Structure formats: structure tokens, C-alpha cells
Amino acid sequence: MRPWLRRCLLSVSVFALCWTGAIAYWRDSTRMPAPGELAGAMLALPLALLLMLWLGKKLLAKLLAGPALAAAPGLAAPLQAEAAAPPATPAPLHIVAATVRMPGGATPAQLLAAMRSRQARPALDGQLLDEDGYPLLCGRVDGIDEETQQPLLAAWLREHPQAGLASEPFPFNPEDLRALALGAQVLAELLDEALQHALSAGAPASLASALPMLRLHLLMPALWSVAQRQAGDAWLRHLAREQGWPVQKLLPAAEPSTGQPAPFALLNALAGDAPPQPPGLSIVLACDSWIGELRVHALASQGQLFSAAQANGQIPGEGAAGLLLAGPGATAPLGEPAPVLLHRAATGELPQGASRRGEADKSLLADLGRQALAAAGDDAAAGIALVSADTDQRAPRMLELMQCAGALLPQLDLGEQVLGVGAACGQCGAVTTLAALAMARQAAADDDAQILCLSNLDPLQRGALVIGPPAQSSHGST
């Protein structure tokens, strides 16, 4: 039973007991009570009893806590020491580069400009139709031809069989191919950025010696099976090797699992308490596509597809986004712009089923925002120039975002300085979150300002972090 319901039932029970006793006493004595007696029995007595119960509960808790601490005398000192010296916040990561392929733009700069000018928005798609034959509203990336991707991937799967995945029949749908094609484009750009970053550090004797160790953290579509995610990961790593990154400089794939970490949790894991060994670069990349008949049918059958009759449905989108990260304490090579700082994220989770019941706690996102601002520095809130979020057009999500931004950053214009990538580009899971981070990195570099990034697109996961300013302006934060 919920605490507030228990308290209400206790109060009602005390009042009912007092009133019943008083009425029974007056009836047996066959006399009318005086006004003072009436007020005392009906109001003062139950309130006094409730106060005594509350004080008794507090006193009992203190009495029980005393012997427990006395029985463990070595416990109090460590607790006091921990409170006096809280654990140090891990140093921020450096965002060396970021890139996207989204319906709103092919680069973070294009996406940011389109978002600020309100030119990025979903459109009616002539290739996807609803049950009545009308075009659906979605966010499609132009220029992606999944038909040219299939023979390449099919031939590779035949030559490199993947555990748990048969090559015949072909195990990927058209929207899956679009996701991999978008991911390959973003990966190629980030590899070029990593190469340029390594070469600008000096004049190496050979290309292989110039390249640092590279970790690929590839977030495949959430609805894929473990075998599909493992195959997609292996395919993109194959493309990285084809682009010229030596296999000895490419760290092996992580062990397959039944789930993937949320983007903010993954970034926290990369920061850690100490830089990974050996030092190198990391690429965090996500790709996904909801632009397919099977995905649209699944959304429609679950009542989650946006339509005139379902205003809180989801708009299908697609895209890929990625970040090139250097570990804490990294310094920019000479002649290269200083990377932007990515501070530690604050993450939380709503109770299971909260989204379906419509009981999402809108204060959680604001609490996480306060923690993220605190992690970025005492004066971070005053320097925030923009809020970049993965929020889509659904009213509960948008209301949660605006309430959070209004409570934390009253100096911002909520209509102009709070941008929701999901509302402009459609829904495509972790891609939308990383696109919001890439857009924030662009704004931080352009404006030399702090950017607050918020995540509430997931039904349960919530997150907040601060990006920027560039390391050269951060006054010793590195």
C-alpha cells in the first residue's frame, strides 16, 4: 500500500474512533455536549492523538537507532568520513568530433541550423502508407538505397558466417539495411576524424605507428536479436578495417549480451574513475531505422503510431549519429581546436509501467538536471545557453522537458533555446539521443557556451549531462 494512502486511512480511523466514542458517551449520559466539549472531542482530541502517534514514531526510531550504532562503534566514523570527503567526480571526456546523418541534416552544423530555424520537421512520406492508403508522417534520410546494400552484406555473411544467424534467407529487413548504411557513413567520417586527430599530434615514421588504439562502441537497433546485433557490429568493424584502420589498433568487440546500455550510462562507463589502458580514442555510434512496413505495422498494431486519432503516437524516423571521444585528461594536438568537454551524466529510471499508466514523475528529469549542472561546476547553470534534448512531439514528453528547463534555467527562452531532436526528426531510439549530443557539441564549439543535454525519449530511462565549453576555455577543469 502506498505511504500517502496509509496515512489517510490512519487519520480517518482516528477521527472515526474519537467521534464514535464521543457520540456513544453523550448518548448514554442523555445530555447535550457544550460547544467546548464538542470542539474538543470532534477536533482537538483526534489531532492530539495523531500528533502523539507521529512523535512516538520519531522517538521510537531514535531509540532503536542508538543501540544499533552503539553495537557497531566502528560504523559511525567511516560514515562521517565519507560525508566529509565525497568521492571525486571523474574527469570529463573530450569530444574530439561528432557527426550525424539525420532527416534534419547531414552534419551537426546543418542539424543545429535547421532546428534553430524550425526547418527540420517530419514530412508526409509517399512510400509509407497507413491502412487507409494515406501517406504517413515520418523522418526519412534522403539518398539511402537499401537495395545496393543487400548484395554486399549478403556476400560478406556467406564468407563470414555469424553465430546464431543464417545467411539464407537473408536475415535483415529493408529498414535494417538502411540503418547499417547510415551507420557506415557516420563511421567512415569518424574514422577520418580520428586519423586527422592522430596525424596532427606529430610526424610519425609510419601511418600504423600514428594511429592510437580505437574502441568501437556500436549501438545497434534495440529490436534486433543478439545475433543480428553481433553481425551488425562485425560488419561495421569490417568496414573500419577496409577503410585502413589496422586490425591490431582496433580493440575486439564486447561480449554479446541480451541488452545494450543507454547512451548516457555508456558515456559514464567510458569516463570511469581512471583512463582506460592503453590510452586511445573511442567511437560511440548508434544507427537505426523505423522507416519500414514491418516497423510501421508493429507500431500501428500496438496503438503507438502517430495519427490524427493518436496524437501521442510515435513518428517513425531513422538516422545515425556518433561521437569521437578522448579519455579524461587528454590534450589537443598542436594546431587542432581544443575538444569540447563532456561532463558526467546523471541518470535515473522511472518505475516499471509508469509510462503506460501515465504516472511518469516529471520531477525526476529536473532532479537529474540539477545533478548534471553540479557535476559541471558551481556556475554551470548561469552559463547554459541552450538545452538539447532527444524529446519527441508527444505532449507528456514535451511537457516534462519544458517544466524541467523552466525550473532549472529561467533565463532561457523555452520557445527558442530548448530544442527537441525527436520532435523534428522522428523516433529512432539511441540515435536520437546521440544526435542531441552531437548537436550540443556543435553549439558548444560555435558559441563557446555550456549546453545542457536532457534525455526523456525512453519510456523509463532519464538522463542529463552538460557539454562544453571547449577545453581551452574551461579554466583548469581538465
Side-chain angles (χ1 to χ4, degrees):
M1 186 180 297
R2 297 179 182 179
W4 65 268
L5 184 56
R6 289 199 301 268
R7 289 192 291 267
C8 289
L9 289 176
L10 176 62
S11 300
V12 171
S13 300
V14 170
F15 272 87
L17 181 62
C18 292
W19 291 358
T20 302
I23 293 172
Y25 170 74
W26 292 326
R27 178 179 295 173
D28 292 341
S29 63
T30 64
R31 70 179 182 85
M32 288 294 295
E37 291 179 312
L38 189 63
M42 295 295 182
L43 185 60
L45 180 59
L47 291 178
L49 288 175
L50 288 173
L51 179 61
M52 290 175 61
L53 287 173
W54 181 77
L55 291 175
K57 181 180 179 182
K58 295 292 184 183
L59 180 60
L60 182 61
K62 289 185 177 181
L63 291 175
L64 292 176
L69 289 177
L75 182 62
L79 288 177
Q80 292 174 356
E82 184 179 355
T89 302
L93 294 169
H94 290 192
I95 309 180
V96 180
T99 189
V100 300
R101 285 292 187 279
M102 298 295 289
T107 65
Q110 291 179 6
L111 179 61
L112 178 61
M115 292 285 296
R116 281 175 161 168
S117 63
R118 298 295 188 265
Q119 296 301 310
R121 61 176 65 92
L124 293 176
D125 191 279
Q127 301 180 46
L128 281 179
L129 307 178
D130 62 15
E131 296 177 351
D132 298 322
Y134 294 105
L136 286 172
L137 198 66
C138 66
R140 180 186 292 271
V141 178
D142 294 330
I144 304 299
D145 185 5
E146 61 270 22
E147 293 182 359
T148 62
Q149 304 295 319
Q150 180 168 343
L152 297 176
L153 183 55
W156 180 82
L157 285 174
R158 287 192 294 269
E159 296 177 5
H160 304 85
Q162 299 297 306
L165 197 68
S167 59
E168 298 292 344
F170 188 66
F172 292 103
N173 298 320
E175 56 264 39
D176 301 334
L177 291 172
R178 294 182 65 85
L180 289 173
L182 290 163
Q185 292 182 7
V186 167
L187 179 60
E189 286 195 13
L190 290 176
L191 289 172
D192 284 340
E193 293 284 354
L195 176 61
Q196 296 302 320
H197 179 80
L199 292 178
S200 62
S206 66
L207 178 61
S209 63
L211 297 179
M213 298 300 294
L214 182 65
R215 301 159 188 81
L216 294 182
H217 303 272
L218 306 175
L219 301 178
M220 297 291 108
L223 292 185
W224 283 12
S225 66
V226 174
Q228 285 178 311
R229 288 202 297 267
Q230 188 176 3
D233 185 288
W235 167 249
L236 292 182
R237 288 174 181 274
H238 162 72
L239 295 181
R241 292 191 295 270
E242 278 201 336
Q243 193 167 334
W245 206 273
V247 64
Q248 65 270 20
K249 293 286 187 175
L250 196 63
L251 292 183
E255 291 296 325
S257 63
T258 56
Q260 297 185 117
F264 282 19
L266 174 58
L267 294 174
N268 278 351
L270 290 181
D273 295 329
Q277 297 295 332
L281 299 174
S282 296
I283 289 177
V284 177
L285 182 151
C287 59
D288 203 348
S289 176
W290 293 31
I291 308 298
E293 293 181 0
L294 292 177
R295 180 64 65 89
V296 167
H297 176 74
L299 287 175
S301 63
Q302 297 166 7
Q304 298 179 4
L305 181 64
F306 176 85
S307 65
Q310 181 58 276
N312 280 327
Q314 300 178 70
I315 297 176
E318 66 179 355
L323 306 174
L324 177 63
L325 303 169
T331 56
L334 295 176
E336 183 175 315
V340 176
L341 299 179
L342 187 151
H343 295 275
R344 187 165 182 83
T347 61
E349 185 172 346
L350 295 170
Q352 288 289 335
S355 180
R356 292 191 298 271
R357 295 193 304 264
E359 298 173 355
D361 183 4
K362 295 182 175 59
S363 65
L364 175 60
L365 189 62
D367 291 339
L368 296 176
R370 293 186 185 92
Q371 296 175 32
L373 292 171
D378 296 335
D379 58 346
I384 297 294
L386 184 76
V387 173
S388 177
D390 59 7
T391 312
D392 62 11
Q393 89 297 336
R394 288 174 288 177
R397 298 292 198 279
M398 191 60 69
L399 179 61
E400 183 182 22
L401 171 65
M402 292 303 174
Q403 287 181 349
C404 174
L408 299 180
L409 307 166
Q411 74 272 21
L412 296 187
D413 182 338
L414 300 184
E416 299 294 332
Q417 295 174 289
V418 179
L419 306 178
V421 175
C425 300
Q427 159 74 277
C428 53
V431 175
T432 315
T433 306
L434 284 183
L437 295 175
M439 188 174 69
R441 184 261 178 191
Q442 184 69 42
D446 290 348
D447 304 335
D448 192 22
Q450 301 272 11
I451 311 298
L452 176 62
C453 298
L454 299 173
S455 176
N456 69 340
L457 188 62
D458 188 88
L460 301 177
Q461 301 288 337
R462 297 292 182 268
L465 62 81
V466 174
I467 286 180
Q472 62 192 20
S473 308
S474 57
H475 304 299
S477 60
T478 59

